[in-house]
């Protein structure tokens, strides 16, 4: 019977191509808007590191000015980054399995290959713990160890893209790279590693690429590297001269470092106590003028806090679904007109043995076919729209192909279009099945 | 086959009530061929709609094939329509988007026959009406007479016990009307009961019985008297024995 209903529905759709087209178009528009925004929302809110997201914690400490609330966070929240000297201080803890500061420096890079011109590059300042903490995949070599951090060994890890640019993609482990006036040995090349969102750096470039070059954090103190602090910085307190970076970093209250720890289960409380004890110690030294207000925030909570755009996009997603439903309600009138204009045919079917339920099912199926067509059209249009967004937004904001229609969107589009067509078609279909056959057969 | 007793049908608006049928009683035996006549608005079509379970009624009883069909659910009515009743309309009422084959197929689909059974029945029905070679044509490619033959094929494909024909020749010329009447007689002779509404006295005379409807009541043809229940006198003749003569004429037994 389903085959017969489909057959009749297709005949009906072909009999009124313009109405069918307009209906598919309207549902398609609604599905396009919905799936596009929900795709974006999915990207912005998804768990970027499911294997470890319950073990990674962002660390914040409230060393801020007692007389003013820190801006750009919810009331009562500490600054979103920490100072260099607090980073050094809390790294003394042996509670975390892994820990790393994440900062960004800018400097000129001089490739070994003379054919590649020197260029200004963002350099990611991290600790040895960054690599096991993020499980960044390596194509060649590996990351450095804690001894290299302590000894400030001039080593670096390149991103896949940087290795392509600087060394033609070959195994560059052992090759040299000059940053500023300092030579660094390449000890590792990352495989493709572009977590989206870039959870370990939600402050500066949450949807950007991984930095091309990663070096041990403390090279920020080496002036001959030419590295200057880059990215979001928030400062208060006495002005500190910047001519000697090491002295500046030891004295300034500038918050510019995101700090991450990987904690085994059950160690969060102990680590939090450690931070409070550290802050109390600093308070005795005249710092941390506010009450203890330190945070050890799980990765996903931190992303939710930082990702304002995700919240806005989630609201947009709901609005887009409402938009789709409004499209559907507009189609209702169109379908009602179409179905009632075929009252005579309904009468014939009723005379030939169709029950009201059959008539209702046939008409609803016709709506669903329109919905499926609209959903597929919307999905294609959504893919094109996301491609356009990817192309239109500078790659410095979103790395390539960050937005795409995921396979789950197919089912979402199908579900939305079926719901929309149900909303649009249920009343017209109900009216069609209520048609009095006796009257219509006489009018035929 | 069909028994209506004191059926009353009232159409109501906010201000007026119109008695479409009033104390309407009728008995139709299996294999009968009944011509229903009467002026426009007399209630012929209302009777046909009620007989075909396309419309309800306000008072009275209706038995179809010995079953009380008063107050059936929509699904039950639809099933009886599909299995026991075939409809033939004045304006054919074919589905324009479907081929001849598919048009005849529609009631069989609702009946739930399998593909092979449907094909056999469709081909047989089209053979009966002489349109076996037009199965793939669409209604718009056929003449009026051919379209009505398709409608007849559609009506008989499911082997119904009763055919209700509402002015089946009303849109056809005389020659075509006679041909359609020949076809209906042929079907009746095979045992199918037919109730036909017509304005054409010549065609009506070819039916086994004629009844006249006036102001929603049965009336005597000769005297205009109301006859509340038309129950035929017992007859030993089987329907086949009442086959028309060669010239197609019949004698009314009821009026």
């Amino acid at each position: 019977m389903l085959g017969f209903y489909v057959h009749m529905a297709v005949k009906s759709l072909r009999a009124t191509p313009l109405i069918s087209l307009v209906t598919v178009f309207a549902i398609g528009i609604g599905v396009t808007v919905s799936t596009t925004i929900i795709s974006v929302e999915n990207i912005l809110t998804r768990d970027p590191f499911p294997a470890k997201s319950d073990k990674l914690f962002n660390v914040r400490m409230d060393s801020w000015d007692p007389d003013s609330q820190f801006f750009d966070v919810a009331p009562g929240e500490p600054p979103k980054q920490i100072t260099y000297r607090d980073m050094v201080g809390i790294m003394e803890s042996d509670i975390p399995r892994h820990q790393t500061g994440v900062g960004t420096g800018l400097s000129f890079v001089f490739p070994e290959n003379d054919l590649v011109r020197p260029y200004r590059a963002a350099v990611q300042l991290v600790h040895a713990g960054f690599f096991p903490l993020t499980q960044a995949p390596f194509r060649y070599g590996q990351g450095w160890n804690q001894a290299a951090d302590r000894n400030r060994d001039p080593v670096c890890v390149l991103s896949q893209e940087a290795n392509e640019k600087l060394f033609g993609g070959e195994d560059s482990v052992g090759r040299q790279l000059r940053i500023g006036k300092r030579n660094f040995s390449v000890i590792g090349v990352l495989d493709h590693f572009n977590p989206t969102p870039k959870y370990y750096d939600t402050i500066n470039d949450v949807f950007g690429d991984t930095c091309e070059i990663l070096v041990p954090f403390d090279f920020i103190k080496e002036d001959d590297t030419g590295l200057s602090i880059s990215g979001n910085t928030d400062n208060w307190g006495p002005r500190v001269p910047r001519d000697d970076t090491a002295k500046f970093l030891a004295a300034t209250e500038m918050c510019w470092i995101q700090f991450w720890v990987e904690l085994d289960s059950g160690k969060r409380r102990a680590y939090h106590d450690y931070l409070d004890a550290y802050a109390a110690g600093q308070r005795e030294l005249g710092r941390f003028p506010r009450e203890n207000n330190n945070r050890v925030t799980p990765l996903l909570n931190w992303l939710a806090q930082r990702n304002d755009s995700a919240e806005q996009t989630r609201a947009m997603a709901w609005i887009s679904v409402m938009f789709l439903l409004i499209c559907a309600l507009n189609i209702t009138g169109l379908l009602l007109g179409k179905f009632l204009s075929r009252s005579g045919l309904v009468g014939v079917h009723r005379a030939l043995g169709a029950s009201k339920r059959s008539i209702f099912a046939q008409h609803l199926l016709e709506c669903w076919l329109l919905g499926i067509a609209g959903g597929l059209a919307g999905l294609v249009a959504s893919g094109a729209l996301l491609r356009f967004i990817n192309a239109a937004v500078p790659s410095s904001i979103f790395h390539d192909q960050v937005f795409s229609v995921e396979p789950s969107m197919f089912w979402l589009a199908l579900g939305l279009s079926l719901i929309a067509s149900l909303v649009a078609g249920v009343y017209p279909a109900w009216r069609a099945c209520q048609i009095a056959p006796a009257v219509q057969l006489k009018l035929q | 086959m069909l028994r209506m007793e004191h059926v009353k049908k009232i159409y109501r608006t906010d201000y007026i009530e119109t008695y479409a049928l009033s104390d309407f009683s009728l008995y139709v035996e299996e294999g009968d061929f009944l011509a229903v006549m009467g002026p426009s608005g007399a209630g012929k079509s209302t009777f046909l709609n009620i007989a075909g379970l396309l419309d309800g009624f306000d008072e009275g009883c209706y038995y179809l094939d010995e079953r009380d069909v008063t107050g059936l659910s929509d699904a039950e009515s639809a099933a009886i329509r599909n299995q026991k009743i075939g409809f033939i309309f004045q304006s054919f009422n074919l589905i324009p988007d479907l081929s001849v084959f598919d048009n005849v197929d529609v009631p069989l689909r609702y009946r739930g026959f399998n593909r092979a059974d449907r094909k056999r029945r469709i081909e047989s029905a089209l053979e009966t009406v002489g349109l076996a070679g037009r199965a793939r044509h669409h209604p718009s490619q056929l003449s009026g007479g051919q379209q009505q033959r398709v409608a007849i094929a559609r009506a008989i494909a499911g082997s119904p016990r009763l055919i209700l024909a509402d002015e089946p020749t009303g849109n056809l010329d005389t020659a075509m009307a006679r041909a359609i009447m020949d076809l209906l007689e042929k079907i009746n002779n095979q045992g199918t009961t037919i109730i036909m509404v017509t304005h054409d006295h010549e065609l009506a005379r070819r039916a086994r019985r004629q009844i006249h409807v006036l102001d929603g009541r049965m009336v005597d043809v000769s005297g205009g008297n109301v006859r509340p229940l038309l129950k035929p006198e017992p007859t030993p003749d089987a329907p086949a024995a009442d086959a028309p003569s060669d010239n197609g004429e019949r004698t009314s037994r009821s009026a």
Side-chain angles (χ1 to χ4, degrees):
Chain A
M1 190 55 88
L2 182 65
F4 173 60
Y5 288 175
V6 171
H7 179 67
M8 293 307 299
V10 170
K11 290 281 183 187
S12 169
L13 294 175
R14 289 174 63 179
T16 51
L18 190 62
I19 292 177
S20 301
L21 205 63
V22 169
T23 307
V24 167
F25 184 72
I27 292 180
I29 292 235
V31 169
T32 301
V33 172
S34 300
T35 52
T36 301
I37 293 178
I38 291 171
S39 289
V40 171
E41 192 250 348
N42 276 352
I43 297 288
L44 297 182
T45 58
R46 72 179 172 191
D47 184 346
F49 196 4
K52 264 197 186 176
S53 56
D54 60 331
K55 293 179 181 165
L56 299 190
F57 296 86
N58 175 267
V59 176
R60 287 170 293 154
M61 308 192 74
D62 198 345
S63 60
W64 198 248
D65 181 1
D67 299 324
S68 67
Q69 166 68 35
F70 186 77
F71 41 87
D72 194 25
V73 294
E77 288 286 313
K80 54 189 185 282
Q81 299 180 103
I82 65 173
T83 65
Y84 177 82
R85 51 176 158 169
D86 291 326
M87 176 188 76
V88 172
I90 62 177
M91 282 195 79
E92 296 296 322
S93 170
D94 57 2
I95 298 173
R97 178 178 286 271
H98 303 292
Q99 55 187 338
T100 182
V102 176
T104 308
L106 275 179
S107 187
F108 281 94
V109 174
F110 298 86
E112 190 184 57
N113 183 349
D114 291 340
L115 295 176
V116 181
R117 297 177 63 183
Y119 65 98
R120 199 168 191 228
V123 176
Q124 198 82 72
L125 306 165
V126 295
H127 293 96
F130 175 85
F131 303 104
L133 186 144
T134 59
Q135 292 183 343
F138 277 85
R139 172 164 287 193
Y140 306 117
Q142 58 191 4
W144 59 84
N145 56 26
Q146 290 181 0
D149 275 334
R150 279 194 303 274
N151 302 332
R152 224 172 289 170
D153 290 346
V155 293
C156 68
V157 167
L158 302 181
S159 70
Q160 186 183 1
E161 293 75 16
N163 189 54
E164 192 71 38
K165 182 160 60 180
L166 296 168
F167 298 105
E170 63 187 37
D171 184 353
S172 58
V173 172
R175 306 281 288 271
Q176 295 291 305
L177 182 70
R178 185 151 68 87
I179 301 174
K181 295 177 182 173
R182 194 72 171 263
N183 282 328
F184 287 78
S185 289
V186 177
I187 62 163
V189 175
L190 294 176
D191 211 334
H192 182 74
F193 180 58
N194 270 330
T196 306
K198 196 166 74 176
Y199 59 88
Y200 58 84
D201 183 7
T202 60
I203 306 296
N204 297 311
D205 199 8
V206 68
F207 292 105
D209 290 332
T210 298
C211 279
E212 291 187 356
I213 303 165
L214 298 90
V215 300
F217 204 109
D218 273 358
F219 275 103
I220 189 64
K221 297 200 294 190
E222 303 282 333
D223 286 333
D224 60 352
T225 60
L227 284 165
S228 60
I229 295 171
S230 175
N232 189 302
T233 61
D234 302 299
N235 204 352
W236 76 282
R239 185 178 175 81
V240 181
R242 298 187 75 152
D243 46 353
D244 185 326
T245 305
K247 287 181 181 171
F248 168 76
L249 289 173
T252 183
E253 289 290 353
M254 184 170 77
C255 300
W256 65 282
I257 299 164
Q258 296 163 72
F259 195 74
W260 290 92
V261 292
E262 179 182 336
L263 297 173
D264 292 331
S265 59
K267 296 228 172 145
R268 183 181 174 192
R269 182 71 253 168
Y271 187 66
H272 199 281
D273 290 344
Y274 168 82
L275 294 180
D276 286 347
Y278 170 85
Q282 291 295 306
R283 198 169 291 112
E284 288 177 6
L285 297 173
R287 296 185 61 229
F288 281 73
R290 301 157 76 102
E291 292 291 311
N292 274 350
N293 187 23
N294 308 311
R295 303 296 164 96
V296 183
T297 311
L299 168 63
L300 295 182
N301 295 21
W302 174 240
L303 287 177
Q305 283 182 34
R306 291 307 310 158
N307 212 343
D308 293 342
S309 55
E311 197 168 314
Q312 291 160 4
T313 312
R314 191 173 293 118
M316 290 276 288
W318 280 110
I319 291 170
S320 70
V321 171
M322 296 303 293
F323 174 75
L324 174 62
L325 292 178
I326 290 169
C327 286
L329 288 175
N330 280 309
I331 299 166
T332 297
L334 209 58
L335 291 175
L336 186 62
K338 173 180 174 173
F339 289 171
L340 293 184
S341 73
R342 295 186 314 183
S343 298
L345 282 180
V346 172
V348 173
H349 278 274
R350 297 275 283 133
L352 297 179
S355 63
K356 286 182 180 178
R357 186 180 295 181
S358 295
I359 297 295
F360 183 76
Q362 280 182 46
H363 285 81
L364 207 57
L365 186 74
E366 186 175 331
C367 297
W368 274 342
L369 288 182
L370 287 169
I372 290 170
L376 292 177
L379 204 58
V380 171
S382 179
L385 193 57
L386 288 171
R387 199 178 289 256
F388 172 77
I389 291 172
N390 281 326
V393 176
S395 60
S396 59
I397 298 176
F398 296 121
H399 60 69
D400 291 344
Q401 297 297 315
V402 68
F403 296 124
S404 61
V405 177
E406 296 177 337
S408 61
M409 282 300 108
F410 172 80
W411 298 110
L412 179 76
L414 196 63
L416 283 175
S417 56
L418 288 180
I419 290 171
S421 54
L422 181 69
V423 168
V426 70
Y427 178 66
W430 181 79
R431 284 290 302 273
C433 81
Q434 296 300 319
I435 288 169
V439 177
Q440 296 305 325
L441 291 168
K442 200 64 187 170
L443 293 175
Q444 274 276 291
Chain B
M1 177 70 215
L2 179 150
R3 184 154 55 98
M4 285 187 185
E5 293 176 0
H6 311 295
V7 167
K8 186 184 285 185
K9 174 67 178 177
I10 306 170
Y11 290 112
R12 293 183 174 86
T13 66
D14 289 342
Y15 304 105
I16 52 172
E17 288 186 345
T18 305
Y19 283 69
L21 291 182
S22 179
D23 198 23
F24 187 96
S25 298
L26 178 67
Y27 187 95
V28 180
E29 277 195 331
E30 180 120 31
D32 205 349
F33 190 158
L34 188 72
V36 181
M37 302 189 73
S40 294
K44 304 184 300 295
S45 294
T46 301
F47 154 66
L48 218 56
N49 287 332
I50 292 172
L53 304 181
L54 292 170
D55 206 354
F57 51 93
D58 298 288
E59 288 180 23
C61 303
Y62 174 22
Y63 295 87
L64 183 64
D65 209 13
E66 302 304 322
R67 180 181 178 185
D68 185 358
V69 292
T70 311
L72 291 181
S73 71
D74 176 74
E76 288 171 323
S77 297
I80 290 176
R81 271 201 304 276
N82 181 248
Q83 292 165 21
K84 296 191 174 180
I85 304 173
F87 288 90
I88 302 169
F89 305 99
Q90 179 179 355
S91 49
F92 325 133
N93 283 351
L94 298 178
I95 299 170
D97 304 325
L98 300 182
S99 67
V100 165
F101 187 95
D102 287 342
N103 262 286
V104 180
D105 193 24
V106 171
L108 306 181
R109 290 275 201 165
Y110 289 122
R111 187 84 163 264
F113 287 129
N114 63 40
R115 181 192 291 265
D117 207 3
R118 293 202 318 269
K119 186 168 184 291
R120 182 180 57 76
R121 284 172 174 274
I122 294 166
E123 288 172 350
S124 169
L126 290 176
E127 188 73 40
T128 300
V129 301
L131 286 175
R134 302 291 180 112
R136 294 299 155 200
H137 285 64
H138 277 69
S140 60
Q141 297 169 304
L142 303 177
S143 69
Q146 288 173 324
Q147 289 189 49
Q148 193 61 297
R149 284 168 182 271
V150 175
I152 292 171
R154 184 176 65 182
I156 64 173
S159 308
R161 305 278 300 279
L162 172 67
I163 285 181
L164 300 174
D166 191 358
E167 301 189 46
T169 58
N171 283 359
L172 304 176
D173 59 37
T174 305
M176 200 64 76
R178 285 179 179 154
I180 292 297
M181 198 62 198
D182 290 343
L183 193 53
L184 292 176
E185 284 174 346
K186 181 179 164 188
I187 292 164
N188 176 242
N189 287 338
Q190 290 165 353
T192 307
T193 308
I194 297 178
I195 298 176
M196 176 182 72
V197 167
T198 182
H199 289 287
D200 188 324
H201 288 271
E202 181 197 333
L203 297 179
R205 277 196 294 276
R206 293 175 62 176
R208 293 174 194 264
R209 284 203 293 153
Q210 295 173 34
I211 63 166
H212 285 242
V213 181
L214 185 63
D215 295 334
R217 296 163 187 258
M218 304 281 291
V219 296
D220 186 295
V221 177
S222 55
N225 299 321
V226 176
R227 302 184 59 166
L229 180 64
L230 283 178
K231 187 157 185 172
E233 295 168 3
T235 171
D237 297 340
D242 285 334
S245 59
D246 287 345
N247 63 7
E249 289 184 349
R250 288 179 183 277
T251 303
S252 170
R253 291 182 297 178
S254 59

